[in-house]
Amino acid sequence: MTTGPRLPARARLLKAADQVLFDQGIRATPVDALLQAAEVSAATLYTHFGSKDALVAEALRIRLADWQGVWDQHIVAADNDMARLLAVFDALASYRRDQDHPSRWCAFLAAATELPAAAEEISAVLAADTALLATRLLHFSRPLAGLRAQDLADEVLLAYSGTLTAFLRGYPHSPIDVGRRLARSAAEAHGRK
Amino acid sequence: MTTGPRLPARARLLKAADQVLFDQGIRATPVDALLQAAEVSAATLYTHFGSKDALVAEALRIRLADWQGVWDQHIVAADNDMARLLAVFDALASYRRDQDHPSRWCAFLAAATELPAAAEEISAVLAADTALLATRLLHFSRPLAGLRAQDLADEVLLAYSGTLTAFLRGYPHSPIDVGRRLARSAAEAHGRK
DNA sequence: CCAAAAACAGAACGCTCGTTACAGTACAGT
DNA sequence: ACTGTACTGTAACGAGCGTTCTGTTTTTGG
């Protein structure tokens, strides 16, 4: 534990939210548990965020930005078209290995499921995540599938989503490897034509 | 509307649970809404099931049995190895087309997400669903991938799960078709080797 | 060093939800 | 007709939750 000089209350709250909420469940975690994890008083939470939902939304936005950053790193490290397309799986592996971001499967999909009547704010993050994936995967699909790029991008997004879901199923065959294989064979199939 | 001679209370409850709970959200739907949808009084629910969670569990078990039945039909209708492997996607399409079973994406995955501290009873259904998928897909993979059957089965399960998740994302490119394509190219890739 | 802002602990409020209790009604089988 | 079972409508309870309030203490900056 790198306990440093103790973060300010707002940051502690966001960190606790990210670590507890998306791992134990959003609705299943009462505000009190969050306060305890963040070592913060109730009043502080509500002066900073106004509501639990707003804190959830902010934590989701930050998680999306973090995730995007990790993905970026794996993209620049890739040295060919196929590796760039598959970088999303390496990014997922490294993001999940990071103990700072435990989560049962996917924070965005979980939020959409747990808060169906979610404030615009919350469902917007899942939309943003989906849009980010769709845009980038389409971009990386072009050199591999040409006119069929959209089809390949759809397929890789599906493989990626399936990988996330496999964590929820507790399926034992290292989902990330399976997802990568699936995406690769889809890409090769398009390349052949 | 085929309003028949009105089902008994227990059946009305299970039907309402299946239709409302898995579409609007399990936790998001209060018991009162269920009672109203089933046209049943509170006492009746609790004499029959004992708790909301028990009703959820029973509705999930029935849904799994129904789904398995639909899948069965599409398996026997298939006339070659590839069609049998891909029948799971046709079954999904026909199950979703059925107005009796609306659901935002997948009842079992939703239940696992919404009720993380779920009674053994509830999480067991997701485990049973996963086991059913794993077993059957492995069986249908064998003639297509031989020794690599397990790998292919894992891949198809991932494609299937990804398809379900795509509904939650609201992704616009008919997820079932994408999933089927993905599964097919995985199978062909194994067949080639 | 002092004033202003930020954070604190803890109690309390109001609401929703799951669940139960109660008294009354429809209807089956014998 | 009688008895038991299934069901109804309504009201109430108790717990848990998100949120707010009060007064006090700590931190910060000029």
Side-chain angles (χ1 to χ4, degrees):
Chain A
M1 285 231 272
T2 73
T3 41
R6 204 186 201 218
L7 295 161
R10 185 190 161 88
R12 264 178 294 147
L13 270 169
L14 286 168
K15 185 171 181 179
D18 189 89
Q19 292 180 345
V20 179
L21 240 36
F22 306 140
D23 188 45
Q24 320 274 351
I26 299 171
R27 303 195 69 146
T29 305
V31 172
D32 287 348
L34 269 167
L35 300 175
Q36 203 170 341
E39 295 179 287
V40 150
S41 78
T44 306
L45 189 161
Y46 286 94
T47 57
H48 275 296
F49 297 99
S51 73
K52 182 189 180 184
D53 278 5
L55 170 58
V56 171
E58 184 66 13
L60 283 173
R61 279 190 289 266
I62 291 176
R63 185 173 266 250
L64 178 55
D66 282 1
W67 153 245
Q68 182 169 350
V70 172
W71 190 5
D72 282 336
Q73 292 176 18
H74 285 267
I75 288 169
V76 303
D79 59 357
N80 63 66
D81 290 334
M82 181 66 89
R84 270 182 286 276
L85 181 65
L86 300 182
V88 68
F89 291 99
D90 302 313
L92 181 59
S94 107
Y95 193 80
R96 291 208 119 233
R97 210 172 309 124
D98 183 350
Q99 289 291 19
D100 270 12
H101 298 289
S103 91
R104 219 142 74 88
W105 56 307
C106 167
F108 313 121
L109 293 166
T113 304
E114 292 197 59
L115 312 166
E120 180 84 19
E121 249 191 323
I122 287 184
S123 63
V125 183
L126 176 59
D129 178 54
T130 303
L132 176 71
L133 286 160
T135 306
R136 288 190 164 185
L137 293 179
L138 177 58
H139 182 248
F140 295 133
S141 291
R142 229 176 283 279
L144 291 164
L147 294 175
R148 285 276 183 45
Q150 184 64 64
D151 286 352
L152 178 55
D154 291 345
E155 288 157 20
V156 178
L157 175 54
L158 223 76
Y160 173 77
S161 300
T163 299
L164 294 172
T165 303
F167 290 116
L168 185 55
R169 284 194 192 271
Y171 197 64
H173 295 108
S174 62
I176 295 182
D177 294 336
V178 178
R180 201 188 342 245
R181 264 171 20 222
L182 201 48
R184 168 173 280 124
S185 73
E188 288 171 350
H190 281 286
R192 222 175 332 263
K193 288 212 172 170
Chain B
M1 285 236 269
T2 73
T3 41
R6 205 186 199 217
L7 295 162
R10 185 189 162 89
R12 263 179 294 148
L13 270 168
L14 286 168
K15 183 170 182 179
D18 189 89
Q19 293 181 343
V20 179
L21 240 36
F22 305 141
D23 187 45
Q24 321 273 352
I26 301 171
R27 303 195 70 148
T29 305
V31 172
D32 286 350
L34 229 48
L35 300 175
Q36 203 170 340
E39 298 179 284
V40 150
S41 77
T44 304
L45 189 160
Y46 287 95
T47 57
H48 276 296
F49 298 99
S51 73
K52 182 189 179 184
D53 279 5
L55 169 58
V56 171
E58 185 66 13
L60 283 173
R61 280 190 290 266
I62 291 175
R63 184 171 267 249
L64 178 55
D66 282 0
W67 153 246
Q68 182 169 350
V70 172
W71 190 4
D72 282 337
Q73 292 176 18
H74 285 268
I75 288 169
V76 304
D79 59 356
N80 62 66
D81 291 334
M82 181 67 87
R84 271 183 284 276
L85 181 65
L86 299 182
V88 69
F89 292 98
D90 302 313
L92 181 58
S94 106
Y95 193 79
R96 292 207 117 235
R97 210 174 352 224
D98 183 350
Q99 290 289 21
D100 270 9
H101 298 289
S103 92
R104 219 142 74 87
W105 56 307
C106 168
F108 313 121
L109 293 165
T113 304
E114 293 196 59
L115 313 166
E120 180 85 19
E121 250 192 323
I122 287 185
S123 63
V125 184
L126 176 59
D129 177 54
T130 303
L132 176 71
L133 286 161
T135 305
R136 289 190 164 185
L137 293 179
L138 177 59
H139 181 248
F140 295 132
S141 291
R142 230 177 282 279
L144 292 163
L147 293 175
R148 285 277 181 43
Q150 183 66 63
D151 286 352
L152 178 55
D154 292 345
E155 290 157 18
V156 178
L157 174 54
L158 224 76
Y160 173 77
S161 300
T163 300
L164 294 172
T165 303
F167 290 116
L168 186 55
R169 284 195 193 270
Y171 198 64
H173 295 107
S174 62
I176 294 181
D177 294 337
V178 179
R180 198 187 344 242
R181 261 166 28 216
L182 201 47
R184 170 174 277 124
S185 73
E188 288 171 349
H190 281 285
R192 226 180 325 269
K193 288 211 172 174

